């Protein structure tokens, strides 16, 4: 599996980090985890044709995780070269209603051929070349974390969350855990993680590698990665937009 970090930031405009988006290339599938603003054009930057993406899994409906669905689908609809593979966009319960509201606002401009809008819940689903396990997180009602297993490797994406034992279980012994770290310890915000909470989840889950992401600018100013590295044994990577990681 190859991971491309497209956006390692949040809703805050920040020249170093765009909103959430991660592309995963598997043997057959190309997957997007979240589609925050800026995701679509950055796919091109990392050499992925957006028409090859066949699954988008949304962690929750906040704009910094979903706003680029609009340019993505508009571009898909009006592409000169038509999409070959069907496109499946997955969100938690309520996603069909959420999409239908977007569709009303944008007429049918975001309704290309071969689009499938799907809802999912906690549980396990098997696809051609991967297995997806989803688990609830503590952020907003619609929020899920995902574990993707393929080619004998596993990667977990926390989405946005507060400290959660279910995330510890989902991430158990995974090869790579992409985990949010929105705020430094002294500025804890409910529904998000601090470096010390990230470290606790990392140590309890025994994830082999960590990618620290969803960083507000203050996290770089206060060097949260240093705090995490002092507390965990696992290899710890600071996410950067356009960084490529072999899983
Ligand atoms: Zn967010
Ligand atoms: Zn959020």
């Amino acid at each position: 599996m190859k991971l491309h970090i497209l956006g390692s930031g949040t809703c805050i405009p920040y020249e170093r980090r765009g909103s959430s988006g991660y592309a995963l290339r598997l043997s057959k599938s190309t997957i997007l985890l979240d589609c925050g603003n800026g995701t679509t054009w950055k796919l091109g930057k990392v050499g992925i044709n957006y028409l090859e993406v066949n699954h988008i899994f949304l962690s929750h409906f906040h704009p910094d995780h979903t706003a680029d669905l609009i340019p993505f689908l508009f571009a898909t609809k009006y592409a000169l070269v038509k999409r070959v593979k069907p496109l499946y966009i997955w969100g938690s319960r309520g996603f069909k209603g959420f999409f239908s509201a977007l569709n009303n606002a944008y007429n049918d401009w975001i309704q290309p051929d071969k689009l499938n809008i799907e809802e999912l819940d906690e549980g396990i689903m098997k696809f051609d070349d991967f297995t997806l396990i989803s688990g609830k997180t503590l952020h907003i009602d619609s929020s899920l974390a995902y574990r993707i297993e393929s080619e004998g490797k596993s990667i977990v994406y926390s989405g946005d969350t507060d400290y959660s034992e279910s995330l510890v279980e989902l991430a158990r012994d995974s090869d790579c855990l992409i985990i949010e770290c929105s705020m430094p310890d002294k500025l804890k915000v409910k529904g998000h993680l601090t470096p010390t909470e990230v470290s606790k989840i990392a140590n309890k889950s025994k994830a082999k590698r960590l990618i620290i992401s969803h960083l507000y600018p203050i996290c770089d100013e206060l060097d949260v990665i240093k705090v995490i590295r002092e507390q965990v044994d696992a290899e710890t990577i600071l996410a950067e937009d356009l960084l490529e990681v072999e899983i």
Side-chain angles (χ1 to χ4, degrees):
M1 283 194 269
K2 192 173 274 183
L3 169 73
H4 297 271
I5 298 169
L6 303 171
S8 58
T10 62
C11 59
I12 301 299
Y14 180 20
E15 68 284 1
R16 179 169 166 188
R17 304 184 185 280
S19 295
S20 298
Y22 306 86
L24 255 189
R25 277 170 145 166
L26 312 182
S27 58
K28 291 185 203 155
S29 302
T30 303
I31 295 172
L32 263 186
L33 295 169
D34 280 340
C35 198
N37 35 308
T39 300
T40 305
W41 75 269
K42 279 194 233 160
L43 279 171
K45 275 262 205 202
V46 301
I48 296 176
N49 180 338
Y50 69 99
L51 296 170
E52 282 167 18
V53 172
N54 54 330
H55 290 282
I56 301 177
F57 294 100
L58 301 169
S59 66
H60 63 297
F61 306 158
H62 275 157
D64 59 322
H65 300 255
T66 56
D68 238 39
L69 288 177
I70 294 156
F72 186 98
L73 292 171
F74 190 50
T76 303
K77 175 144 182 152
Y78 293 101
L80 291 178
V81 181
K82 289 296 168 204
R83 162 175 282 280
V84 179
K85 295 179 190 172
L87 172 64
Y88 292 86
I89 308 182
W90 303 84
S92 64
R93 224 175 292 151
F95 181 52
K96 288 190 177 182
F98 175 90
F99 187 77
S100 136
L102 285 183
N103 216 17
N104 284 341
Y106 284 100
N107 299 312
D108 62 351
W109 303 320
I110 56 167
Q111 189 80 56
D113 291 342
K114 299 190 172 166
L115 173 64
N116 302 277
I117 298 297
E118 306 283 352
E119 291 186 0
L120 82 176
D121 212 334
E122 284 172 286
I124 302 179
M125 291 199 303
K126 294 214 182 284
F127 295 86
D128 242 16
D129 56 342
F130 67 97
T131 299
L132 178 100
I133 305 159
S134 37
K136 286 247 178 266
T137 63
L138 297 173
H139 182 59
I140 57 172
D141 278 351
S142 63
S143 51
L144 290 172
Y146 296 114
R147 178 179 180 122
I148 289 173
E149 298 179 345
S150 181
E151 302 156 29
K153 298 278 184 182
S154 53
I155 182 165
V156 174
Y157 171 49
S158 71
D160 288 5
T161 186
D162 209 313
Y163 181 85
S164 146
E165 286 295 335
S166 73
L167 179 59
V168 171
E169 285 316 310
L170 193 73
R172 189 160 300 289
D173 299 319
S174 55
D175 292 292
C176 182
L177 167 61
I178 307 169
I179 187 162
E180 79 121 290
C181 183
S182 294
M183 285 290 165
D185 284 327
K186 63 180 185 189
L187 294 171
K188 165 76 182 170
V189 170
K190 197 168 180 287
H192 288 290
L193 292 170
T194 63
T196 296
E197 292 167 331
V198 165
S199 305
K200 195 171 164 195
I201 291 171
N203 289 334
K204 282 183 94 170
S205 70
K206 299 193 165 64
K208 297 184 184 94
R209 191 147 55 145
L210 306 174
I211 297 178
I212 310 302
S213 196
H214 198 272
L215 297 149
Y216 278 82
I218 186 89
C219 292
D220 290 318
E221 282 164 38
L222 295 183
D223 209 5
V224 293
I225 192 79
K226 187 164 172 269
V227 180
I228 296 170
R229 283 184 179 138
E230 281 165 2
Q231 298 185 63
V232 302
D233 295 327
E235 182 194 349
T236 304
I237 297 168
L238 181 65
E240 297 292 349
D241 291 15
L242 309 179
L243 183 71
E244 184 182 311
V245 183
E246 192 68 49
I247 306 298

